[in-house]
């Protein structure tokens, strides 16, 4: 395995347990939302709950807090395995995490699901894996079920599972890690497992959907590992991300088309730059005692409205924006297919990461969207032919004129 020379400027977090009883997130201050908009109030009060719920009395109803000190050190470097998904929006997390770990002097191997020769590997972030190798990391490919054969004879201190959404997929990785003597197991779950609430934001300890597949994975990890941590991300942006979110807005803004947003447009969501997710994960690796047995909302610390996101995208592009609102049912469209974000309040806060790890968010949407817009132009997407069939159906129902 390739190894980087440790830097004397690297940071080591050492923790000493606190005798204080950690506060329950349910007792921490919550944000109560109100609005003079009747549409907003109606939307907020009509969230449907179709799933049964489950609480984690021994896991997520509280988080463990440790005091910690920071000192410069070149020691305590870890051997980290990243099991990375080959699709969706989470692949970029593993990419950034690998680069940050390598920059801090840790040894990193990235196991990506599938084959190196597949078409998926021609897209970012996989097409940029040479950056990991040039920094001293190692990249391999294969199926999680064969992890023992793929990595035979290799030992790791930390395994980061950034692929499986269900227990059947994650269990082979977790069982291999346990039998191999891995000291710490980290898992990327999803903030989407939280049950809708009338009191946003979601905080660690809030009730989750009992039938969400990630829930069984979280429970299994907590049962078999002594040192574990779970991270629940929401939407993210950053160079190398291959999932359309902010690009959806750029497609319409640059073509002088209306931007159709379902509902009032005041729905709150959370979009984090992936560097924030990476820095949170790195703190967990470098401060395992504090991170152990905790669930972290892996998100930035500010929300944005859907209308606000459209306006920030227009600002990044230096263009005006024409926002129109619609009722999906009246327009005869499925909002999940017509719009890239949830048509509801979907907003979590990173309270545990701040309390337990001393983590700070650096996401700045106004600036970070400029980075995404530059890449949008660089790949020539502004000149590509985009189909807007669902948009046209929505706009026709509203009788809104569209530029030719």
């Amino acid at each position: 395995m390739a190894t980087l020379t440790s830097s004397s400027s690297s940071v080591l977090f050492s923790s000493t347990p606190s005798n204080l009883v950690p506060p329950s997130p349910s007792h921490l201050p919550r944000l109560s939302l109100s609005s003079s908009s009747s549409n907003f109030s109606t939307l907020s009060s009509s969230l449907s709950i179709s799933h049964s719920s489950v609480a984690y009395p021994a896991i997520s109803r509280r988080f463990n807090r440790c005091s910690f000190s920071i000192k410069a050190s070149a020691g305590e470097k870890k051997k980290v395995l990243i099991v990375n998904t080959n699709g969706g929006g989470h692949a970029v997390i593993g990419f950034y995490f690998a680069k940050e770990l390598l920059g801090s002097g840790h040894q990193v191997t990235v196991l990506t699901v599938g084959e190196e020769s597949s078409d998926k590997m021609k897209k970012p972030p996989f097409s940029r894996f040479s950056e990991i190798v040039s920094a001293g990391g190692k990249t391999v490919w294969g199926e999680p079920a064969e992890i023992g054969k793929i990595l035979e004879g290799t030992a790791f201190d930390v395994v980061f599972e950034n692929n499986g959404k269900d227990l059947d997929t994650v269990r082979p990785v977790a069982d291999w890690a346990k039998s191999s003597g891995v000291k710490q197991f980290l898992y990327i779950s999803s903030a989407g497992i939280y049950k809708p609430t009338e009191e946003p934001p979601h905080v660690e300890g809030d009730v989750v959907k009992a039938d969400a597949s990630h829930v069984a994975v979280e429970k299994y990890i907590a049962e078999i590992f002594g040192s574990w941590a779970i991270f629940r991300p929401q939407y993210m942006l950053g160079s190398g991300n291959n999932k359309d979110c902010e690009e959806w807005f750029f497609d319409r803004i640059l073509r002088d088309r209306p931007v159709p947003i379902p509902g009032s447009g005041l729905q709150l969501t959370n979009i984090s730059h992936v560097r924030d997710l990476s820095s949170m994960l790195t703190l967990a690796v470098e401060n395992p005692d504090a991170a152990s047995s905790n669930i972290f909302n892996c998100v930035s610390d500010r929300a944005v409205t859907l209308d606000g996101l459209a306006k920030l995208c227009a600002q990044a592009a230096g263009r005006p924006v024409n926002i129109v609102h619609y009722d999906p049912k009246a327009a005869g469209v499925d909002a999940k297919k017509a719009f890239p974000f949830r048509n509801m309040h979907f907003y979590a806060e990173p309270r545990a990461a701040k309390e337990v790890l001393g983590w700070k968010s650096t996401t700045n949407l106004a600036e970070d969207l400029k980075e995404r817009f530059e890449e949008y132009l660089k790949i020539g997407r502004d000149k590509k032919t985009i189909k807007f069939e669902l948009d046209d159906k929505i706009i026709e129902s509203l009788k809104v004129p569209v530029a030719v």
Side-chain angles (χ1 to χ4, degrees):
M1 179 184 297
T3 307
L4 281 181
T5 302
S6 299
S7 169
S8 60
S9 63
S10 61
V11 177
L12 169 67
F13 293 84
S14 60
S15 66
T16 54
S18 170
N19 293 324
L20 297 176
V21 177
S24 167
S26 63
H27 294 157
L28 295 175
R30 296 180 63 91
L31 171 66
S32 296
L33 301 172
S34 61
S35 171
S36 59
S37 168
S38 59
N39 290 338
F40 180 67
S41 300
T42 301
L43 177 66
S44 177
S45 63
S46 64
L47 297 176
S48 61
I49 301 174
S50 58
H51 301 287
S52 57
S53 61
V54 62
Y56 283 8
I59 301 175
S60 69
R61 300 304 280 179
R62 55 96 178 101
F63 50 82
N64 298 322
R65 182 171 60 182
C66 293
S67 60
F68 62 92
S69 59
I70 303 175
K71 62 180 180 179
S73 173
E76 297 296 327
K77 298 308 176 186
K78 309 292 181 64
K79 295 180 180 179
V80 183
L81 171 66
I82 297 174
V83 180
N84 212 38
T85 180
N86 62 3
H90 286 185
V92 73
I93 301 175
F95 174 65
Y96 270 75
F97 186 34
K99 292 179 65 176
E100 180 154 350
L101 288 171
L102 289 165
S104 296
H106 302 284
Q107 297 181 38
V108 179
T109 297
V110 180
L111 167 59
T112 302
V113 176
E115 299 179 357
E116 184 177 5
S117 59
S118 70
D119 289 341
K120 288 184 177 182
M121 298 303 111
K122 298 176 183 178
K123 300 178 181 180
F126 314 107
S127 59
R128 294 174 56 184
F129 271 19
S130 60
E131 297 175 28
I132 295 174
V133 176
S134 63
K138 182 179 179 181
T139 54
V140 296
W141 281 260
E143 297 302 322
E146 302 295 322
I147 189 170
K149 295 180 181 179
I150 299 168
L151 299 171
E152 186 175 2
T154 308
F156 296 94
D157 300 304
V158 182
V159 169
F160 171 57
E161 218 294 348
N162 184 39
N163 172 57
K165 298 180 180 180
D166 56 67
L167 190 54
D168 287 342
T169 305
V170 176
R171 192 196 299 268
V173 177
D175 289 351
W176 169 83
K178 179 68 174 179
S179 65
S180 300
V182 167
K183 299 174 183 177
Q184 184 185 39
F185 195 91
L186 308 178
Y187 174 60
I188 283 287
S189 182
S190 171
I193 69 174
Y194 284 118
K195 189 176 179 180
T197 177
E198 297 289 350
E199 258 191 305
H202 295 297
V203 297
E204 295 89 351
D206 281 358
V207 179
V208 299
K209 304 168 187 173
D211 59 352
S213 60
H214 293 87
V215 172
V217 179
E218 292 184 359
K219 287 185 174 182
Y220 187 70
I221 289 169
E223 288 171 358
I224 71 170
F225 289 100
S227 179
W228 58 270
I230 289 164
F231 299 82
R232 295 172 176 169
Q234 282 192 236
Y235 302 110
M236 66 203 74
L237 79 164
S239 178
N241 192 11
N242 63 15
K243 186 172 182 178
D244 279 8
C245 285
E246 55 273 12
E247 290 84 357
W248 184 91
F249 293 93
F250 294 146
D251 285 342
R252 287 148 182 81
I253 291 168
L254 263 67
R255 291 166 179 80
D256 295 319
R257 291 185 59 92
V259 176
I261 295 179
S264 68
L266 296 178
Q267 305 95 307
L268 289 169
T269 193
N270 188 307
I271 305 171
S272 312
H273 195 288
V274 70
R275 66 172 176 268
D276 273 357
L277 283 63
S278 173
S279 66
M280 189 184 297
L281 291 163
T282 300
L283 281 174
V285 169
E286 296 182 340
N287 197 24
D289 290 341
S292 182
S293 304
N294 278 299
I295 292 175
F296 300 97
N297 286 338
C298 202
V299 296
S300 68
D301 58 2
R302 297 193 68 173
V304 63
T305 65
L306 298 181
D307 275 6
L309 179 57
K311 293 174 183 177
L312 287 171
C313 285
Q315 180 180 314
R319 300 286 291 271
V321 60
N322 176 20
I323 299 172
V324 296
H325 299 118
Y326 67 97
D327 177 351
K329 186 175 181 180
V333 299
D334 182 351
K336 293 181 179 179
K337 295 180 179 179
F339 191 66
F341 293 87
R342 286 171 172 81
N343 180 26
M344 59 183 286
H345 293 307
F346 181 42
Y347 166 39
E349 274 192 357
R351 297 188 185 181
K354 288 184 173 183
E355 284 280 331
V356 175
L357 301 175
W359 173 86
K360 295 181 180 179
S361 173
T362 64
T363 296
N364 182 330
L365 281 181
E367 293 301 316
D368 295 334
L369 284 168
K370 293 178 182 178
E371 174 191 59
R372 293 300 288 157
F373 183 64
E374 288 175 2
E375 290 197 345
Y376 180 92
L377 296 178
K378 185 177 180 180
I379 64 174
R381 181 156 165 168
D382 58 317
K383 296 182 173 58
K384 292 182 178 179
T385 300
I386 307 291
K387 296 180 179 179
F388 296 101
E389 289 96 337
L390 286 177
D391 280 35
D392 290 339
K393 184 175 182 179
I394 294 166
I395 292 166
E396 172 62 25
S397 72
L398 298 174
K399 305 300 181 183
V400 176
V402 179
V404 178

